[in-house]
Amino acid sequence: MPLSRRSLGFGLLALQIILIIFLSQTRRVQAQHCIWYGECSNSTILPEKKYNCNYTGPPKPLPKDGQGLLQELCPGLVYGNQSVCCDTQQLNTLKGNIQLPLQYLSRCPACFFNFMTLFCELTCSPHQSQFLNATEFSSDPVDNRTNVVKLSYYISNMFANAMYNACKDVEAPSSNVKALSLLCGKDASQCTPTNWIQYMFDIKNGQVPFPIEPVFEDDPVSGMTPMDNQTFDCTEPLDDGSGPCSCQDCSKACGPKPVPPPTPPPWTILGQDAMNIIMWSSYMAFLFVFITALLGAWCCRKRTITSEYGPIQDSNQPHSLNDSVKLSSQVTCCESLRERFANALHYLFSLWGSFCVRQPLLVIMLSVVLVAACSTGLMHMHVTTNPVDLWSAPHSEARQEKDYFDQHFGPFFRTEQLIITTPWTEWFRLVSTTGPDILFAPILNISLLQQVLDLQTNIENLEAEYKGQKVTLKDICVSPLAPYNNNCTILSVLNYFQNSHEVLNHTFADEFFIYADYHTHFLYCVSSPVALDDMGHFHDPCMGTFGGPVFPWLVLGGYEGTAYNNATALVITFPVKNYLNDTDKLGKVLAWEKEFISFMKNYSNPNLTISFSSERSIEDEIDRESNSDVGTIIISYVIMFVYVSMALGNIHSFRRLLVDSKISLGIAGILIVLSSVACSLGIYSYAGVPLTLIVIEVIPFLVLAVGVDNIFIMVQAVQRDERMQHEELHQQIGRVLGDVAPSMLLSSISETVAFFLGSLSHMPAVKTFSFFAALAILIDFLLQISCFVSLLGLDMKRQERNRLDILCCVKLPEGQQPKTEGILFRFFKKVFAPFVLTEWVRPLVVALFVGMLSFSIAVTDKVEIGLDQRLSMPDDSYVLDYFGNLTEYLHTGPPVYFVVREGHDYRTSYGQNQVCGGVGCNNDSLVQQVYTASLMSDYSKISTTPSSWLDDYFDWVKPQSTCCRYYNATGAFCNASVVDPSCVRCRPMTPSGKQRPNGTEFMRFLPMFLSDNPNIKCGKGGHAAYSTAVVLKDNNTNVGATYFMSYHTILKTSSDYIDAIKIARELAYNISVSMGLENKTHFVFPYSVFYVFYEQYLSIAHDTALNLSMCLVAIFVVTTVLLGFELWSAVLVSLTIAMIVVNMFGVMWLWGISLNAISLVNLVMSCGISVEFCSHIVRAFSISTKSTRVERAEEALAHMGSSVFSGIMLTKFGGILILALSKSQIFQVFYFRMYLAIVLLGATHGLIFLPVLLSYAGPSVNKAKVMATHSRFSGTERERLLND
């Protein structure tokens, strides 16, 4: 029994072994079963392609002529005798079919391996019958064979997902999009593993000769085992030694997604703005200390009242000299030196004034000759309106980068652009045959598209005239494929339809459905803009007629995400050539642009709302704005002129109205002011310094403020003075000039030095303004103390002889001329000065002005930086609508180029890895760092992966590709579309041939790449995308400067533009560091067309602080010297002016005025005008010999306040109010508002705060001056005047 069981056990085991062997053999035989072999008749779907022949036998050994192809395309099938289910012709067909995917997917070896596995298993696998099921056949009567016309392809979900995951991140560098956007029939964001494979096997894609139905299953079904071959993840190297995919093409290889640095939190204290808390606390502390000090001083005064004069004062005569010996002993050396300096100035100006009055004709003639000689330079005047010259210094970083870019790659093209919307509100649906209905925005209605196409065609056909020649768009447009394709680049949604009504009207439908029309073509093209075939019924291309792609984010606006069918605006852009030094060609461009603008202004269509702009639009509108505001400026100056002419006179009675008036003198004074401006402009024009609109508009205002103030001071000082006994007119005017000229010298020299120091600024607008202003003020001062003094002497003689003003030949009868004080002088002397300096008003003044200062300091850092470009346009400018639509509808910003300067070596693997973004490239390469920045676009302002000529060149030159070929006989380049057996591939299919080219081989094929036009067989040709991106040198043996282009995100505000340039520069610096170029000449820099305009804002806060500080230092030094080294007086003047400037920042914040070159010019000017408000008061205080500081401050305010008020405040106020009526927003914001603030702040600080400050903390009286004054006038009637 045991033996039998053992025998039975052995028998069963043997039976199992036999069964296993039989089943294995059965499966092996079944696995070797093919479904096709070879090619048969032409496809009825694509006649240029063939069906495969039905064959159900075992795999056949591949002929020798096909073994190399099998090794090249499907190395996984190379084993044994290479028995496969395909012949050589099928392999050739496969090679031709995979050329386009090869060019885009081979950047990532794992992706392309998985992709090729899918098609190699389909075409040649000896295991076909396991996963392929032929379902339909047709007969081939010619060869008596059967065609396979339909089959099912069973694919495991695991394989499909692995293939998709390895490929989903692969980039197409030339188009800045994912490769799947070009290969999936829709945007990469909507592509999935299943719909990608379904699209590739769909007969509608125009590439498949018969339908292939993919069936996605993981488990065997219906006797079929899904294809589930080995796949590689994009992070894995291949068995052939190919490395893992780069970070740019494989997000998993990148590690964690980069996180932008956190935004610095606002500086707060107890949850409130820190500056507000600090300044409020400081203000409260100041008030406490100030009030405590006042109370302490008041208590001390109750006990004893002591004059600051001390011993030089007796009970009744504050200026008596009854103890001259004791007084003399108390005069310090410094006081003596100050008195001698002041006396020397008085003496020199007195002699000069007397001479000018005695020799008026000589002085006037010399002045006229000087003015005429200087003003003649105006014939050489050149006004700069070029925005680049206005806002960017020639040696600035951005300007040098622009010049470098222009010289190496040509200037950035000019842009003519339309943004088109519609008042139509009705949306419409596309009834889809494959999914849910799709909603379209009104602007995409075919009727509107037809009208837009008509408009676009009309613009293309515009003709302008230049020097008798006709100029059309064809003559000036950018044509990237010229001379092979001369079509103009037009970035328009209509270019998806080849700018053709016929293509736009293509419709394929039956009585039930529309299968293909402009909707379907539009949807395909926005997903695959580089497609040369929409795979539809008409096989219409998406590529523009100019040979390049039209990306949807450039031609559509007002949509969210990638819902391009929801776009509410169309954007049409006409790039036009730009020229650096060819004025004739540029003239043609400008002529056409002028015609374009004229056409668009006159174009009207009730169905379309169009905003537009040309490259010349901004400059034209600025010119128009300047011309339109001429009238406003003239009225403003006329009002000031009339006021000055009328206000100078001191009318005593109606009978003497025309005698006492000084209309002619006022006109002469104004002419002197204008002459000084003309002299300044003329002198600099001689030197070749160009003018700017800021100089023309601002300097007359500034010089008029300074000059008129001096005129009022001089004339009113003479009017108030009483001639001494035995004193002649020339002596009196000389003496008065000796009194007031040092004050005029102080203000004028302070302003001149301050402005000359301001010219050290790197900002062209500030530098030019400072140069012209400094010289104009200096010349104005010289003319006033010479020519105007002579004219004043002549006018006084006329008045003393009772001759009428203007009509000087007419003489009134002799009569007594009473001496009276002017109304304004009496008001300041009797009312204003005593009131301001009363005991209870002074503390309130200090508290108020210190409060204003504290508020202004708190908000200074909150003033916005930049210039809203809309403010530079007139209120009625068509460009304003364009600017508004630009920020509302556009979805991408301006292009940004990362330029590698000449000197980098691209011929070595080391140099290539520092730049490229594909397999084997450095993780911190140029392309990789820009790509990483694009992943955090909200922070970096970089929106897309850079287009990399180097990576595309590597793909183009691969031996597997048909792109790089040359004629074997001549070595000349052979385009992929050429069918010629003499064309051979550039590099061999060897391991070394598959590596990147280096050395001379790199340079041998690069010129071919840059001249190759992309076509359906090779989409990687570099002519269109990179012909200007690479500079070849040394007879094409080396690479010079190159660039890698990306795009900024949409930039809407000045802060966006500023952040964009700042972060791009940081990125370029990091790239240079990683490449080891930071200390070399061939470093990397970013360039975009707006950088030259916005670079100034990177340092404007520093420049503002520096310029204003230099002005204040200059004012302090000059004031110290010209006040006889009275240091404390200079401190008080500088402090008051600094308060005015700081308060200007408070006004800017309140009134929404941003900090830019224009406002900085006004701030620098405010320093100059503030000197006029302050210096005269301080000097009058310093020379006063009254008993107390309060009395001295009151005397200074009474005598100088009225002249300053009438000379600056009243003169400017009327003229400033007129500026509010200007059409120019710049005038309204930066001139009316800032000028008004300058005058009001200067007047209140100079006429209210400064006297109060002097009454508290003014310098002590100079005892040497007191002694000198009384010794000079003791015993004369002048002593009585001094004691009044």
Side-chain angles (χ1 to χ4, degrees), residues 29-96:
V29 172
Q30 183 181 7
Q32 298 300 314
H33 177 57
C34 295
I35 68 161
W36 61 38
Y37 188 88
E39 294 183 347
C40 287
S41 59
N42 291 340
S43 167
T44 58
I45 300 173
L46 291 176
E48 67 273 16
K49 296 193 177 185
K50 294 180 178 292
Y51 291 121
N52 290 327
C53 300
N54 183 39
Y55 169 71
T56 56
K60 298 180 180 182
L62 188 66
K64 288 186 178 181
D65 61 347
Q67 292 178 5
L69 272 177
L70 186 67
Q71 176 67 43
E72 174 187 339
L73 299 175
C74 308
L77 298 180
V78 179
Y79 55 86
N81 63 354
Q82 299 187 20
S83 295
V84 289
C85 294
C86 62
D87 63 6
T88 304
Q89 184 56 44
Q90 284 178 289
L91 285 173
N92 282 319
T93 300
L94 175 61
K95 181 176 181 179

Side-chain angles (χ1 to χ4, degrees), residues 832 836-837 842 845-846 849 1128-1137 1139-1140 1170-1181 1189 1192-1194 1196-1197 1204 1241-1259:
F832 184 75
V836 168
L837 293 166
R842 290 190 298 152
V845 168
V846 172
F849 280 82
W1128 186 242
S1129 295
V1131 169
L1132 296 181
V1133 170
S1134 302
L1135 174 64
T1136 306
I1137 294 174
M1139 290 178 63
I1140 294 172
S1170 299
V1171 171
E1172 293 293 321
F1173 282 111
C1174 300
S1175 61
H1176 300 301
I1177 300 293
V1178 168
R1179 187 176 185 281
F1181 179 87
R1189 289 187 177 89
R1192 293 164 63 201
E1194 184 176 334
L1197 181 57
V1204 171
L1241 288 175
T1244 52
H1245 281 77
L1247 302 179
I1248 299 176
F1249 174 74
L1250 182 57
V1252 171
L1253 180 63
L1254 291 171
S1255 71
Y1256 281 124

Side-chain angles (χ1 to χ4, degrees), residues 1016-1029:
I1016 197 167
K1017 292 190 175 181
C1018 178
K1020 287 281 186 174
H1023 186 193
Y1026 303 121
S1027 59
T1028 62

Side-chain angles (χ1 to χ4, degrees), residues 4 79 100 121 125 132 202 212 355 427 460 537 607 682 727 766 827 829 847 1003 1084 1119 1135 1156 1218 1267:
S4 300
Y79 55 86
L100 195 62
E121 292 297 308
S125 172
L132 294 181
D202 192 341
I212 301 174
F355 171 79
W427 290 57
E460 289 184 70
H537 178 77
N607 299 322
E727 190 177 44
V766 178
F827 170 76
K829 183 176 181 180
M1003 292 307 306
V1084 179
T1119 303
L1135 174 64
N1156 50 57
I1218 297 298
M1267 291 181 58

Side-chain angles (χ1 to χ4, degrees), residues 580-758:
L580 277 179
N581 302 311
D582 195 328
T583 56
D584 191 60
K585 290 183 179 179
L586 185 58
K588 292 181 179 180
V589 174
L590 294 174
W592 188 90
E593 288 179 342
K594 184 177 181 181
E595 186 67 26
F596 165 76
I597 293 171
S598 176
F599 172 81
M600 290 308 306
K601 283 183 176 180
N602 295 319
Y603 179 82
S604 177
N605 186 328
N607 299 322
L608 302 176
T609 303
I610 304 175
S611 61
F612 68 96
S613 175
S614 174
E615 189 73 22
R616 64 177 291 165
S617 291
I618 293 179
E619 192 169 340
D620 284 352
E621 289 299 283
I622 290 175
D623 289 342
R624 184 175 72 86
E625 176 184 55
S626 302
N627 295 331
S628 66
D629 283 319
V630 168
T632 304
I633 297 172
I634 290 175
I635 293 173
S636 174
Y637 283 124
V638 165
I639 290 175
M640 291 187 281
F641 293 168
V642 170
Y643 165 75
V644 171
S645 300
M646 301 299 297
L648 276 179
N650 187 11
I651 313 301
H652 299 97
S653 65
F654 181 77
R655 187 181 71 87
R656 294 183 55 83
L657 174 64
L658 292 180
V659 174
D660 295 334
S661 69
K662 297 194 178 296
I663 297 175
S664 57
L665 185 64
I667 293 174
I670 292 171
L671 290 176
I672 286 176
V673 171
L674 297 180
S675 296
S676 64
V677 175
C679 287
S680 177
L681 301 183
I683 291 172
Y684 282 115
S685 295
Y686 273 129
V689 179
L691 299 177
T692 65
L693 293 177
I694 292 180
V695 168
I696 297 171
E697 292 163 352
V698 177
I699 286 185
F701 181 91
L702 170 66
V703 181
L704 198 63
V706 175
V708 169
D709 182 38
N710 290 340
I711 289 172
F712 271 85
I713 289 173
M714 198 183 308
V715 172
Q716 290 179 355
V718 173
Q719 289 172 339
R720 295 168 191 163
D721 185 73
E722 291 190 13
R723 192 176 304 171
M724 299 174 64
Q725 188 175 8
H726 307 302
E727 190 177 44
E728 297 182 15
L729 177 63
H730 69 88
Q731 294 172 323
Q732 179 192 13
I733 294 179
R735 175 173 50 79
V736 172
L737 186 66
D739 290 337
V740 300
S743 180
M744 294 166 54
L745 177 67
L746 168 62
S747 62
S748 299
I749 297 301
S750 296
E751 293 158 10
T752 298
V753 174
F755 286 133
F756 270 128
L757 287 178

